[in-house]
């Protein structure tokens, strides 16, 4: 295949959640982007984008994470993350947080840098212009569109277009796909009963597909749904979108 990423340097925004608990997702993203010809770098100064503070109502604490994010990433034309949730925070919340500080220079930096931060499927389809990334994944798969990627970023069917082009995949629709899984970060702790009920519904819909694998673009949601599936002994695995797209016949997932 051609190298659609040739000449592009891409900074990996691993996100603290993935870096700490699911590093296989950003690693898979690196393998995929390098296979497509991109030069991939990992700014070691990166840390939390502040989403968990902001979403929980601690806006001042969230605002203190904006400048470190910019210091790590604003020199790159392309910043890519395996998380619609964290990208949504940078693109949709950082401007408000910067405005809260009263620092107009910081606001200007956010306006310039935030639009260049993209979730993986956005980058592949909108920037590289590809849907067939040379992946092979011979499994029955269903896809859950996470709330932030769907509603905050508006990625639409980009992940599904990428999955449909994967060789050997048996992609089946997820009933009530656009319903929230109930995770919502601290929502799952503060409103546990509601969160569990929503997660149980999502797990039931996933089981009804008969799929072997549930795929999504956010490991936070996969952790929540996966916990439900494990407790139900459903025999269904959860796998991040990056891992499916990185898999090939020579290097299976």
């Amino acid at each position: 295949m051609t190298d659609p990423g040739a000449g592009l340097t891409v900074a990996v925004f691993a996100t603290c959640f993935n870096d700490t608990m699911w590093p296989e997702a950003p690693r898979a993203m690196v393998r995929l982007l390098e296979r497509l010809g991109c030069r991939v770098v990992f700014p070691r100064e990166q840390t939390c984008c502040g989403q968990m503070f902001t979403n929980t109502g601690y806006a001042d604490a969230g605002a203190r994470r904006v400048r470190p994010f910019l210091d790590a990433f604003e020199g790159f034309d392309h910043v890519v993350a395996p998380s619609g949730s964290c990208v949504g925070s940078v693109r949709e919340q950082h401007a408000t947080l910067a405005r809260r500080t009263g620092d107009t220079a910081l606001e200007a930096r956010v306006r310039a840098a935030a639009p260049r931060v993209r979730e993986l499927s956005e980058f592949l389809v909108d920037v590289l212009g590809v849907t067939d990334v040379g992946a092979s994944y011979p499994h029955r798969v269903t896809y859950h569109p996470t709330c932030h990627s769907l509603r905050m970023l508006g990625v639409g069917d980009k992940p599904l277009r990428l999955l449909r082009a994967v060789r050997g995949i048996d992609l089946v629709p997820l009933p009530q796909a656009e319903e929230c899984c109930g995770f919502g970060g601290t929502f799952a702790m503060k409103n546990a009963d509601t969160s569990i009920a929503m997660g149980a519904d999502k797990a039931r819909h996933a089981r009804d597909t008969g799929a072997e694998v549930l795929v999504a673009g956010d490991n936070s949601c996969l952790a929540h749904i996966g916990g439900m599936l494990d407790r139900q002994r459903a025999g269904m695995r959860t796998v991040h979108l990056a891992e499916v797209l990185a898999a090939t016949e020579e290097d299976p997932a």
Side-chain angles (χ1 to χ4, degrees), residues 20-196:
T20 303
M21 300 184 69
W22 288 279
E24 57 271 18
R27 286 173 185 160
M29 192 174 77
V30 170
R31 293 198 306 274
L32 172 61
L33 293 175
E34 288 182 340
R35 189 172 79 220
L36 295 173
C38 298
R39 174 178 175 267
V40 181
V41 296
F42 181 86
R44 298 184 67 85
E45 302 81 7
Q46 64 182 283
T47 182
C48 180
C49 66
Q51 179 192 180
M52 59 183 173
F53 300 112
T54 309
N55 288 355
T56 312
Y58 298 100
D60 289 340
R64 288 194 289 272
R65 307 314 314 150
V66 174
R67 194 182 306 276
F69 182 89
L70 292 168
D71 290 343
F73 289 110
E74 70 179 341
F76 298 96
D77 288 333
H78 303 287
V79 179
V80 183
S83 169
S85 178
C86 294
V87 170
S89 180
V90 171
R91 290 225 305 256
E92 301 297 327
Q93 295 177 337
H94 274 198
T96 301
L97 294 172
R99 194 176 309 119
R100 186 183 184 88
T101 69
D103 186 337
T104 56
L106 187 65
E107 289 185 63
R109 292 175 67 188
V110 169
R111 284 195 299 271
R116 298 198 294 270
V117 182
R118 294 179 175 89
E119 179 267 344
L120 176 61
S121 72
E122 291 183 303
F123 181 75
L124 295 173
V125 176
D126 294 341
V127 178
L128 297 191
V130 296
T131 51
D132 185 346
V133 297
S136 174
Y137 197 75
H139 300 283
R140 187 175 176 89
V141 170
T142 193
Y143 171 74
H144 164 62
T146 65
C147 287
H148 282 182
S149 64
L150 188 68
R151 297 175 176 85
M152 187 176 279
L153 296 181
V155 301
D157 68 345
K158 293 181 181 72
L160 286 169
R161 289 161 63 188
L162 291 158
L163 288 170
R164 290 180 190 124
V166 172
R167 289 157 184 77
I169 199 169
D170 179 11
L171 184 63
V172 294
L174 178 67
Q176 306 298 318
E178 296 187 4
E179 287 186 359
C180 177
C181 73
F183 176 62
T186 55
F187 176 85
M189 293 180 283
K190 294 181 177 181
N191 301 276
D193 290 344
T194 303
S195 175
I196 290 169

Side-chain angles (χ1 to χ4, degrees), residues 193-218:
D193 290 344
T194 303
S195 175
I196 290 169
M198 295 171 72
D201 283 346
K202 182 63 68 171
R204 173 169 51 82
H205 292 314
R207 292 198 320 272
D208 287 346
T209 67
E212 304 167 60
V213 181
L214 175 70
V215 171
D218 279 273

